[in-house]
Amino acid sequence: MDIQETKFNYKILLAALAAVIIGILIAFYYSYAQSQTQIQYLEGEKGLLVRDLTLMKTEVDRLSALNEVNEIELQDSKFQVEQLLDSVGRLTFTIDKLQEFKSELRTLEARYDSIKLKNNLLRYNNKLLADKYDETRIMLEDLRGQSNSLAEAEALLRRKNQELSRELKMKSYLALVNSEGSGFRMRSGRPIKTNKASTIEKLRGCITIQADPNTTSIKEKVLYFQFLGPNMGIIEDNANVISVNGNIYSKRVTLVFKGEEMSVCDFITVPEGSLLAGTYTLNVFEDEKLLTTAEFQLK
């Protein structure tokens, strides 16, 4: 009887031990499966983290190659990314470590976004500077062209002035004497000399051309009479204006000079009562050169 009870007790102990062993095995298997799942999750997260860091490192290297952002910021960010990559490579992962590195990754991403924003701003500023440079270059080329045009025009004007100076030196002008200005009123169609300004209808200019023994041929000459009033205004011939190269004259006189002394007189017509009392001036020009001048009084 005792032997049977002992055998029965052994069987119970063996059954309990087997149950305990089976329970331990089940718990171990469950823990192992859960650990494998967590390890696979952590490995996946590690892969994503490494990929993000690698992409960030590549972008930082690209920005560094472009040399468009602050060198110190780039080197600092590059060092932090490489340090984080090394740490991830050596890391025995846990959930806490994963959260820690994710937080660092987010910080680096924010810093990368800031660097990228600065880079975009610098590129925009560089574009503006390039546009301004192009505009300035075009303006400089335009100004250079205008300067060349002005220089050419100035050189042409200088040559013309030199030619004119040579012509003036070579040209022989008439020698005038006895220049005289006077006023006339009209009576029955006949001019009568007077110095009463209010009755004058014509002004006459007279000059004497001296003989020139060097003249060997007949020459046509043009003289210009210019009458000036007391206010030094030019008096026109019956409201007709004679303009030559911007100079205003009262009368154009054409004559034929044979080298002999000759007298020349000519009139201009003015409205009766248009003249005031005062000192009047007669200027005589040949080709813009003033040859003689005379004053006369009207009362």
Side-chain angles (χ1 to χ4, degrees), residues 114-241:
S114 175
I115 292 175
K116 190 174 181 180
L117 181 62
K118 290 181 180 179
N119 176 63
N120 291 337
L121 181 60
L122 285 174
R123 292 177 66 181
Y124 175 73
N125 289 335
N126 287 341
K127 183 179 182 303
L128 291 180
L129 288 174
D131 293 342
K132 287 292 184 183
Y133 170 77
D134 290 338
E135 291 178 6
T136 304
R137 180 174 54 80
I138 293 173
M139 289 178 62
L140 286 175
E141 291 176 355
D142 186 42
L143 289 174
R144 192 177 293 113
Q146 293 182 14
S147 177
N148 292 336
S149 299
L150 289 174
E152 292 174 0
E154 184 180 358
L156 179 61
L157 183 61
R158 190 180 298 111
R159 286 197 299 271
K160 288 185 177 180
N161 287 338
Q162 291 173 352
E163 292 174 0
L164 182 60
S165 297
R166 285 195 296 269
E167 289 179 3
L168 291 176
K169 289 179 181 178
M170 296 173 60
K171 183 177 178 64
S172 60
Y173 291 95
L174 297 174
L176 306 183
V177 294
N178 302 327
S179 57
E180 178 187 15
S182 55
F184 289 80
R185 62 184 177 87
M186 303 300 294
R187 177 184 292 178
S188 301
R190 293 174 53 248
I192 299 174
K193 189 174 183 178
T194 180
N195 62 355
K196 190 175 182 181
S198 61
T199 63
I200 289 176
E201 297 179 57
K202 290 184 179 293
L203 291 176
R204 186 183 72 174
C206 291
I207 46 96
T208 298
I209 303 175
Q210 292 183 320
D212 183 5
N214 296 322
T215 300
T216 58
S217 61
I218 298 175
K219 296 180 180 180
E220 184 180 88
K221 294 285 188 176
V222 178
L223 298 177
Y224 294 96
F225 287 2
Q226 186 185 66
F227 289 95
L228 303 179
N231 59 355
M232 302 308 291
I234 298 174
I235 302 173
E236 301 170 355
D237 180 17
N238 203 19
N240 292 323
V241 176

Side-chain angles (χ1 to χ4, degrees), residues 37-47 93-95 98:
T37 301
Q38 191 175 47
I39 288 172
Q40 290 176 359
Y41 169 74
L42 291 175
E43 287 294 335
E45 290 295 320
K46 176 181 177 181
F93 258 61
T94 65
I95 294 296
L98 176 63

Side-chain angles (χ1 to χ4, degrees), residues 269-281:
T269 302
V270 296
E272 183 180 359
S274 63
L275 301 182
L276 301 175
T279 301
Y280 287 74
T281 304

